[in-house]
């Protein structure tokens, strides 16, 4: 990867997918890169942000405004599948509070 001075839109997309729990191969498939290219970009991002691991990378990316993603539909669906049934009122208030914290959903 050529030297660059700051993260670009592709780096932000990679961060978003990693935050949603995708592995490097799946991220690569989604953005059109090999898993090795994704690993190189993640390593560059870790160096750029001074993160010593992927969890720290997510936290630092969020702190500087690169990562503003909330739980995506894939994560919400997998969590919902594992939960026991809740009351309708509880589910409604949970959805409302997530929307308020994360902003409007598309």
């Amino acid at each position: 990867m050529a030297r660059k001075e700051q993260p670009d839109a592709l780096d932000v997309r990679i961060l978003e997918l990693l935050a949603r729990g995708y592995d490097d191969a799946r991220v690569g498939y989604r953005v059109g890169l090999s898993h090795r290219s994704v690993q190189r970009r993640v390593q560059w991002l870790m160096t750029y942000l001074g993160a010593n691991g992927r969890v720290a990378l997510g936290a630092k990316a969020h702190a500087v405004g690169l990562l503003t993603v909330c739980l995506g539909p894939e994560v919400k669906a997998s969590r919902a599948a594992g939960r026991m049934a809740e009351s309708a009122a509880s589910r409604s208030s949970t959805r409302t509070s997530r929307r308020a914290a994360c902003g409007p959903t598309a």
Side-chain angles (χ1 to χ4, degrees), residues 2-106:
R3 267 188 202 196
K4 55 185 184 174
E5 300 204 7
Q6 57 186 355
D8 58 20
L10 182 56
D11 293 320
V12 172
R13 181 69 179 140
I14 289 170
L15 287 168
E16 290 171 348
L17 293 171
L18 290 174
R20 290 189 172 151
Y22 291 13
D23 63 19
D24 292 343
R26 192 166 174 202
V27 170
Y29 178 79
R30 297 285 299 257
V31 299
L33 297 174
S34 71
H35 80 280
R36 184 66 185 122
S37 292
V38 171
Q39 289 173 340
R40 284 187 199 100
R41 282 185 173 259
V42 169
Q43 185 61 48
W44 182 85
L45 285 163
M46 288 170 61
T47 302
Y48 177 79
L49 293 174
N52 59 1
R54 286 177 176 238
V55 173
L57 174 61
K60 290 191 178 221
H62 188 273
V64 299
L66 285 174
L67 184 61
T68 57
V69 69
C70 291
L71 292 180
E74 304 89 7
V75 176
K76 287 180 184 177
S78 68
R79 286 193 176 169
R83 280 194 313 239
M84 294 177 64
E86 299 176 350
S87 70
S90 174
R91 282 194 307 261
S92 176
S93 66
T94 301
R95 283 189 201 122
T96 303
S97 64
R98 281 187 190 150
R99 256 188 233 118
C102 299
T105 55

